[in-house]
Amino acid sequence: MKEQNKPVLRPSPLESHAASNYSRPDHRTKLSLDKSPVRLKPDDRLVSLVSPATIEAEQYRTLGLMLEQRRHSGLLQVVAVSSPTMDDGKTVTSINLAAALAQSPQSRVLLIDADFRKPSVPAQLGLHESHVLGFRDAILNPDLALKDIVRRLSPWNLSLVTVGRTEIMPHEIFKSTRFVEIIDEARRDYEWVILDTPPLVLAPDCLMMGRSVDGFLMIVRAHKTSRKEIGEALNILGPSKLLGLVFNNDDSLLESYGYRTYLSCSQTAQQEE
């Protein structure tokens, strides 16, 4: 990849209204994980959790395998998942990737909701609303260790950190030394750390957290993400931190090999059993 000029962060003309809305943190949602066993109802798109035997779920295991192979050539443990703009599928990809990496019983995987402006990981997982300690609380309270804000999702061998209940502006989070300390603690305790982060073009957060992560996966949605938006996002991120692009939501790739027909028949057979 050619070297980029100095990144210039600006809202895409196609997303100027969305950028204005996105830049304002949403403090209305307070989501909780109970430490006691709960019956979770995740979104149907979380195939690594709800339908791990499907071809779609296999794609996330393949992505996880590609990351495993990259580890042999250098440090790769803390992976941020982002996208150029909203609705490209970054959160669904973050959860599916983390769940795919956690399918081995010996795996230690931590999923962090690091989209402090519009957090959506708990909602995707079907968690109930309530007050609970999370990342923002640990930023303000140095007495809180990582273990105090981690919640265990035992059915999926997955650990989760939510954004928390404290209201604090994102730039205060990233300029705090506590952010680096918490990520470093996660490195010591977990094999993989996956962060769901804000869109690259709509907020400066990814630039500020870049020093603490090993690389970014950029999610590109078929028939939605424009070339201009991809170019702006690549210019912001730069080549040194980019692990790769994930092409999302293109059913034609499966249909071209007949996988779509196979999946439909398989799902129908399971319903009839």
Side-chain angles (χ1 to χ4, degrees):
M1 183 181 296
K2 297 174 63 178
E3 289 292 328
Q4 307 288 332
N5 294 329
K6 184 177 180 180
V8 177
L9 184 67
R10 64 184 187 279
S12 165
L14 301 176
E15 296 283 351
S16 57
H17 178 68
S20 176
N21 290 335
Y22 196 93
S23 63
R24 292 192 293 269
D26 187 353
H27 301 304
R28 295 173 300 173
T29 304
K30 310 290 185 180
L31 293 151
S32 169
L33 287 171
D34 195 325
K35 290 185 178 180
S36 61
V38 293
R39 184 184 296 274
L40 305 181
K41 295 182 179 179
D43 189 287
D44 290 340
R45 295 171 297 174
L46 302 181
V47 291
S48 293
L49 302 178
V50 302
S51 50
T54 61
I55 294 298
E56 289 91 342
E58 184 65 26
Q59 308 310 305
Y60 292 104
R61 285 193 290 274
T62 301
L63 178 59
L65 178 60
M66 294 172 67
L67 292 179
E68 292 275 9
Q69 293 173 339
R70 288 286 297 270
R71 295 183 74 163
H72 299 310
S73 60
L75 175 65
L76 183 59
Q77 183 181 8
V78 180
V79 176
V81 181
S82 188
S83 61
T85 61
M86 294 187 295
D87 300 324
D88 289 328
K90 67 176 183 63
T91 300
V92 169
T93 300
S94 299
I95 301 173
N96 275 313
L97 173 60
L101 291 168
Q103 286 180 359
S104 171
Q106 293 78 31
S107 297
R108 292 173 288 110
V109 180
L110 177 65
L111 174 63
I112 298 178
D113 192 346
D115 190 342
F116 300 107
R117 300 171 187 270
K118 303 289 182 182
S120 60
V121 170
Q124 294 281 357
L125 289 169
L127 304 177
H128 300 293
E129 294 188 358
S130 183
H131 295 281
V132 68
L133 294 175
F135 207 109
R136 291 186 295 209
D137 304 289
I139 292 292
L140 292 181
N141 184 356
D143 292 332
L144 289 175
L146 178 64
K147 64 181 179 61
D148 298 318
I149 59 174
V150 168
R151 297 297 180 267
R152 183 73 177 158
L153 305 180
S154 297
W156 303 314
N157 189 35
L158 189 63
S159 297
L160 173 67
V161 171
T162 59
V163 296
R165 62 191 184 188
T166 303
E167 296 187 4
I168 177 175
M169 295 301 293
H171 72 275
E172 296 289 341
I173 296 174
F174 299 120
K175 76 177 186 180
S176 169
T177 58
R178 285 287 292 153
F179 182 84
V180 178
E181 292 171 359
I182 294 170
I183 296 299
D184 286 345
E185 191 173 353
R187 288 183 185 274
R188 293 192 295 270
D189 293 347
Y190 293 91
E191 181 182 4
W192 285 104
V193 182
I194 307 298
L195 290 84
D196 180 46
T197 67
L200 284 155
V201 177
L202 303 184
D205 302 19
C206 289
L207 278 178
M208 291 186 285
M209 72 173 69
R211 69 185 188 279
S212 299
V213 305
D214 301 326
F216 284 82
L217 288 175
M218 185 190 301
I219 312 305
V220 176
R221 184 172 180 177
H223 317 300
K224 187 267 180 188
T225 313
S226 70
R227 288 178 178 269
K228 181 179 179 60
E229 292 165 341
I230 295 173
E232 289 184 359
L234 289 173
N235 187 49
I236 292 167
L237 190 57
S240 63
K241 284 289 187 178
L242 181 64
L243 297 173
L245 277 68
V246 178
F247 198 53
N248 181 42
N249 205 43
D250 187 7
D251 291 340
S252 64
L253 294 177
L254 293 178
E255 291 171 354
S256 64
Y257 286 92
Y259 285 139
R260 179 59 54 191
T261 302
Y262 169 80
L263 286 172
S264 298
C265 294
S266 175
Q267 291 167 354
T268 301
Q270 290 176 356
Q271 292 172 357
E272 291 176 350
E273 291 180 354

